[in-house]
Amino acid sequence: MVQSDIFIEYPYELLSYMREIRTPVFHNSNVFLRDLQYAIQDYFEDKQGLTIRNERAEQIALEVARAYEREGIFRRVNPHGFVLNYPELSTPKEGGTIEGLKGVSPEASMPPPKPAAAPVAAAKPAAAAAPKPAAPAAPKPAAAPAASGAAPAGAKAPPPWLKK
């Protein structure tokens, strides 16, 4: 018979397993009953080779949630949601959530950077590389009021909604 005692006596067992299966559980994060239920089903299937039914997993999840709430590990926010109060599972300062999940560093999850292009300025003669003087800025025309039916500044034709 499947028991919930291991999870109640050793909360780190279930919470760390949830991190192993890449469920983001951290101190002050939200945890829902369904997350707990599916993690319990996966735990028994992976670790003990037992397949348990949804109803039994839901019963165990409710027992575990009530026990965690009594111990102060969970704080209820709605009938099916809790906030995790477990400082041992705080997010690492370096790497954040990605680092906390299964020890994966942020650099390992990112694609490799593209190689830098060869400098083009070195191939040009020195005279061509000199910067060109900037052209004087053209004065901006005064904006015409929209109520007069005139087109907005820079528009080629008045927009259809502006026509009378």
Side-chain angles (χ1 to χ4, degrees), residues 93-148:
K93 295 194 186 300
E94 302 246 346
T97 306
I98 295 173
E99 186 69 31
L101 289 174
K102 210 173 170 186
V104 177
S105 66
E107 293 79 24
S109 64
M110 293 181 177
K114 294 180 181 178
V120 180
K124 292 183 179 181
K132 295 181 181 179
K140 292 184 180 180
S148 68

Side-chain angles (χ1 to χ4, degrees), residues 86-97:
Y86 206 75
E88 290 85 4
L89 294 177
S90 293
T91 307
K93 295 194 186 300
E94 302 246 346
T97 306

Side-chain angles (χ1 to χ4, degrees), residues 42-138:
D42 290 343
Y43 179 88
F44 281 114
E45 192 169 320
D46 290 347
K47 302 283 183 178
Q48 297 181 0
L50 298 172
T51 302
I52 59 174
R53 301 178 66 112
N54 285 339
E55 296 83 17
R56 181 64 184 140
E58 188 173 359
Q59 285 177 339
I60 294 172
L62 282 170
E63 291 173 23
V64 168
R66 285 187 197 123
Y68 287 178
E69 194 173 5
R70 280 191 307 268
E71 293 175 16
I73 296 172
F74 281 173
R75 189 181 78 234
R76 183 180 294 273
V77 291
N78 64 37
H80 301 288
F82 304 92
V83 171
L84 180 64
N85 181 25
Y86 206 75
E88 290 85 4
L89 294 177
S90 293
T91 307
K93 295 194 186 300
E94 302 246 346
T97 306
I98 295 173
E99 186 69 31
L101 289 174
K102 210 173 170 186
V104 177
S105 66
E107 293 79 24
S109 64
M110 293 181 177
K114 294 180 181 178
V120 180
K124 292 183 179 181
K132 295 181 181 179

Side-chain angles (χ1 to χ4, degrees), residues 15-35:
L15 297 173
S16 66
Y17 178 74
M18 289 176 78
R19 284 178 112 171
E20 282 179 27
I21 60 173
R22 304 203 43 97
T23 304
V25 283
F26 295 98
H27 176 65
N28 287 331
S29 67
N30 293 328
V31 179
F32 298 97
L33 278 174
R34 288 285 176 233
D35 296 336

